Amino acid sequence: MLVSTGVTIRFGKRVLFEDVNIRFGKGNCYGIIGANGAGKSTFLKVLSGEIEPSKGEVTHDKTERVSVLKQDHFAFEDYKVLDTVIMGNEELYKIMKEKEEIYAKPDFSEEDGMKAAKLEEKFAELDGWNAEADAATLLNDLGILSDLHDKYMKEIEAKDKVKVLLAQSLFGNPDILLLDEPTNDLDLKTINWLQEFLINFENTVIVVSHDRYFLNKVCTHIADVDFGKIKVYPGNYDFWYESSQLALRQAKDANKKKEEKIKELQEFIARFSANASKSKQATSRKKSLEKIELEEIKPSNRKYPYVDFKPDREPGKEILKVENITKTINGEKILDNISFTVKSDDKIAFLADNELAKTVLFQIISGEIEPDSGTITWGTTISNDYFPKDNNYLFTQDVSITDWLRQYSKDPDETYVRGFLGRMLFSGEEALKNVKVLSGGEKVRCVLSKLMLSGANFLIFDEPTNHLDMESITSVNEALIKFKGNLLFTSHDHQLTQTVANRIIDIKTDKVIDKECTYNEYLEIE
């Protein structure tokens, strides 16, 4: 069992959280949530021992093995893929290497034999004889096939390195598993596999994630980092949301009743304190007034940007026709005769065996690149705008956020633009930051602002939730549900895809599947 006792983290005068007391029990999965900067990843590093708390301690049984999902995808470049996975159990991997060194000695001595015997005994205790087979099974389950197992990490693609490090963290049935954003950069098939793995995992899991659907599927508890505290709620993400909102409403309602009572007592005292016949009652009410204490409702760290896409005009009947689009990049055919027609009210989610296929298709439709063959035909009433997956090319100017956004605004008045940015959480001096120093999440909020100002009735989104916190994801999700125009989009956020899409287009290697249904309905068909 992992136990946090009186844990406090301070950076100078700033307190992230204080006096955190949590017992993380076996068989439970704890989802750590909170606004960006609240301290989720910091708390995970405290639990792993990577960071020492300012106060308090973290303890666990020394016989229990703690496994952490590594974040540096290039830390194991000179190791083979299979070895990198087995390194998830450091003790086992060390024994394997010691054995190899001893048996490779040309002058193998009696002392070496005795040492090897002890190592073999410990190796067997750690189930070492099955290590390579278990590691290979994990890799295969995650889509890393056997022809890559003996390659060096520096020889495989970045998307595969992510999966290898995930396999490393899961390897050997760790007693305590710490995962920071494990679904980042994973395809939907792998995310689904991970969900099932964690649901069936019998030990302790603590996970930081912005994926609401993932948290709902795997979590038995939610640890909420807010108000300078970390409070644990039983249940999944949806249960936490309902519980926290109910608690906030109850606190506000209780204060409102107290405020009404205070006002009533104050009015009575003011009216009758000078009245001899009522003086005793006035004195009694003064005592009652002194006993009433309003509950302190601290401001939450959570901030929701205002996201709302309003088309300047309604789309007509003719919207978009895509015919026989083909595109080859670096000798690889990415798109092969892709055709579809967008109808009124269509909000289409795109899936693909090749992740690049979705991005290339969206770039062609938006006019960013040309197809090798095929045509794109827009309706005369349609205006479109595009949210790129990689938005860095939009931020090369040496200008402030305000000046950057002003170039896309029909009303260039600074007061109007600053007001708009304020709703997107760029208030005060934040709106004057240079766009070249913005974080990934800040750039996303800027591009969302650009799309809102465009008034387009046809929007194309390539992974709009990347780099966003839970609150911003929720705001984008709700905005896309409300949007009155047409959408083409792709997202690894299951809940967003399920609640927004009414049609699914899946670009397979050998065919295209086009179904008018929700995402969950499509998964059942598949």
Side-chain angles (χ1 to χ4, degrees):
M1 179 179 289
L2 188 67
V3 180
S4 162
T5 306
V7 167
T8 296
I9 286 289
R10 290 191 188 93
F11 294 111
K13 293 183 179 179
R14 186 187 175 207
V15 179
L16 279 185
F17 43 80
E18 59 184 346
D19 200 25
V20 176
N21 299 287
I22 304 174
R23 297 173 70 85
F24 296 96
K26 184 177 179 179
N28 293 329
C29 177
Y30 299 82
I32 302 178
I33 63 170
N36 278 357
K40 303 182 297 295
S41 294
T42 300
F43 185 55
L44 210 64
K45 289 176 181 178
V46 170
L47 295 178
S48 70
E50 184 180 339
I51 292 177
E52 285 291 324
S54 307
K55 192 177 110 178
E57 63 175 355
V58 173
T59 57
H60 66 87
D61 189 326
K62 297 306 177 186
T63 64
E64 294 180 329
R65 185 167 69 86
V66 179
S67 183
V68 181
L69 174 60
K70 303 290 193 301
Q71 299 298 313
D72 185 355
H73 299 162
F74 303 99
F76 301 91
E77 295 290 83
D78 295 327
Y79 294 92
K80 291 185 177 181
V81 168
L82 200 66
D83 284 346
T84 301
V85 175
I86 297 172
M87 288 167 74
N89 187 333
E90 293 180 10
E91 185 181 11
L92 174 61
Y93 184 75
K94 183 181 177 183
I95 289 171
M96 288 175 66
K97 291 303 165 186
E98 284 187 36
K99 280 174 54 186
E100 288 176 10
E101 289 176 9
I102 289 174
Y103 290 135
K105 283 186 173 184
D107 52 345
F108 188 84
S109 65
E110 183 179 342
E111 185 181 345
D112 289 328
M114 292 176 63
K115 187 176 180 181
K118 288 182 179 179
L119 289 172
E120 292 288 6
E121 183 180 349
K122 188 62 179 176
F123 182 74
E125 284 179 18
L126 295 173
D127 200 24
W129 297 111
N130 293 316
E132 291 191 0
D134 291 345
T137 299
L138 262 180
L139 287 167
N140 288 328
D141 287 344
L142 287 165
I144 307 296
L145 301 183
S146 55
D147 59 334
L148 296 179
H149 294 187
D150 286 326
K151 288 187 177 295
Y152 286 91
M153 288 288 283
K154 60 187 173 188
E155 297 178 299
I156 67 174
E157 294 181 37
K159 64 182 179 64
D160 292 329
K161 290 178 185 180
V162 172
K163 294 180 180 180
V164 174
L165 293 188
L166 179 59
Q168 181 191 74
S169 67
L170 304 178
F171 175 75
N173 195 36
D175 299 288
I176 299 163
L177 180 58
L178 305 179
L179 304 173
D180 193 354
E181 298 291 358
T183 62
N184 279 3
D185 302 315
L186 293 183
D187 56 80
L188 293 167
K189 184 178 179 181
T190 307
I191 292 172
N192 289 335
W193 179 88
L194 178 60
Q195 285 171 179
E196 291 305 313
F197 180 94
L198 295 180
I199 287 169
N200 294 310
F201 189 70
E202 295 181 350
N203 295 329
T204 304
V205 182
I206 305 170
V207 56
V208 171
S209 178
H210 285 127
D211 189 326
R212 298 161 295 169
Y213 184 84
F214 179 79
L215 293 173
N216 275 331
K217 287 284 286 186
V218 306
C219 289
T220 60
H221 295 75
I222 295 294
D224 182 26
V225 186
D226 202 2
F227 308 108
K229 300 288 185 182
I230 303 181
K231 183 176 180 181
V232 176
Y233 294 76
N236 62 12
Y237 177 79
D238 281 349
F239 187 82
W240 161 81
Y241 185 80
E242 293 298 328
S243 299
S244 62
Q245 293 301 302
L246 177 60
L248 183 60
R249 285 197 301 271
Q250 287 175 336
K252 287 181 176 178
D253 288 346
N255 271 3
K256 187 177 180 181
K257 288 178 181 178
K258 288 178 182 179
E259 286 168 353
E260 289 171 354
K261 185 65 176 176
I262 288 170
K263 185 179 178 182
E264 178 189 322
L265 291 171
Q266 287 173 336
E267 287 176 351
F268 185 92
I269 293 165
R271 284 179 63 194
F272 298 112
S273 59
N275 187 318
S277 63
K278 297 281 189 178
S279 63
K280 284 187 178 181
Q281 293 178 43
T283 302
S284 175
R285 280 165 171 73
K286 280 183 182 178
K287 291 179 180 178
S288 298
L289 182 60
E290 291 168 359
K291 292 178 181 178
I292 299 176
E293 291 183 6
L294 293 176
E295 184 175 342
E296 183 185 4
I297 301 176
K298 293 183 179 179
S300 171
N301 288 319
R302 290 187 168 82
K303 294 181 180 178
Y304 292 82
Y306 178 79
V307 184
D308 190 17
F309 306 102
K310 292 182 178 178
D312 288 341
R313 64 183 296 186
E314 288 187 13
K317 290 184 179 179
E318 300 294 324
I319 297 172
L320 173 65
K321 193 168 188 178
V322 176
E323 296 181 278
N324 304 317
I325 295 296
T326 298
K327 184 69 176 179
T328 297
I329 297 177
N330 297 328
E332 180 185 1
K333 185 169 278 189
I334 306 299
L335 300 172
D336 187 10
N337 286 317
I338 304 296
S339 299
F340 60 91
T341 299
V342 178
K343 307 184 297 296
S344 295
D345 301 322
D346 271 351
K347 293 183 177 180
I348 308 174
F350 282 77
L351 313 177
D353 288 343
N354 182 350
E355 289 284 303
L356 184 59
K358 297 175 288 187
T359 294
V360 171
L361 178 61
F362 287 175
Q363 288 174 328
I364 291 171
I365 293 172
S366 65
E368 296 235 329
I369 61 174
E370 292 291 326
D372 296 335
S373 61
T375 58
I376 304 291
T377 307
W378 290 100
T380 56
T381 63
I382 302 302
S383 58
N384 70 84
D385 208 347
Y386 170 53
F387 180 101
K389 186 175 185 178
D390 182 358
N391 56 39
N392 287 318
Y393 69 95
L394 294 172
F395 298 94
T396 57
Q397 298 166 281
D398 190 14
V399 295
S400 69
I401 299 174
T402 300
D403 289 336
W404 181 89
L405 187 61
R406 190 185 298 183
Q407 66 189 321
Y408 301 108
S409 177
K410 292 165 189 171
D411 184 348
D413 181 71
E414 182 172 341
T415 303
Y416 172 77
V417 175
R418 290 283 293 268
F420 194 91
L421 286 170
R423 295 188 299 176
M424 291 300 289
L425 309 183
F426 295 108
S427 57
E429 295 298 312
E430 287 287 307
L432 301 177
K433 285 174 69 172
N434 192 296
V435 296
K436 288 187 174 181
V437 301
L438 297 181
S439 68
E442 288 172 329
K443 287 179 179 178
V444 169
R445 283 188 274 129
C446 284
V447 180
L448 290 171
S449 301
K450 170 183 174 291
L451 265 66
M452 283 189 272
L453 287 171
S454 74
N457 55 22
F458 192 110
L459 297 176
I460 304 167
F461 287 92
D462 192 356
E463 297 292 348
T465 62
N466 283 1
H467 306 293
L468 292 182
D469 59 18
M470 199 90 74
E471 293 69 44
S472 297
I473 291 171
T474 300
S475 295
V476 171
N477 197 159
E478 291 173 353
L480 295 184
I481 291 171
K482 290 193 305 181
F483 180 57
K484 299 300 183 185
N486 290 100
L487 285 176
L488 305 184
F489 74 96
T490 182
S491 175
H492 282 105
D493 189 292
H494 187 117
Q495 187 166 330
L496 185 145
T497 306
Q498 166 59 20
T499 55
V500 173
N502 55 21
R503 181 177 167 189
I504 307 293
I505 293 181
D506 191 353
I507 304 172
K508 299 288 190 183
T509 304
D510 56 347
K511 61 182 177 179
V512 175
I513 301 172
D514 189 341
K515 295 285 185 183
E516 291 189 10
C517 62
T518 67
Y519 181 49
N520 284 346
E521 287 169 343
Y522 179 73
L523 292 178
E524 289 177 9
I525 295 168
E526 281 292 286

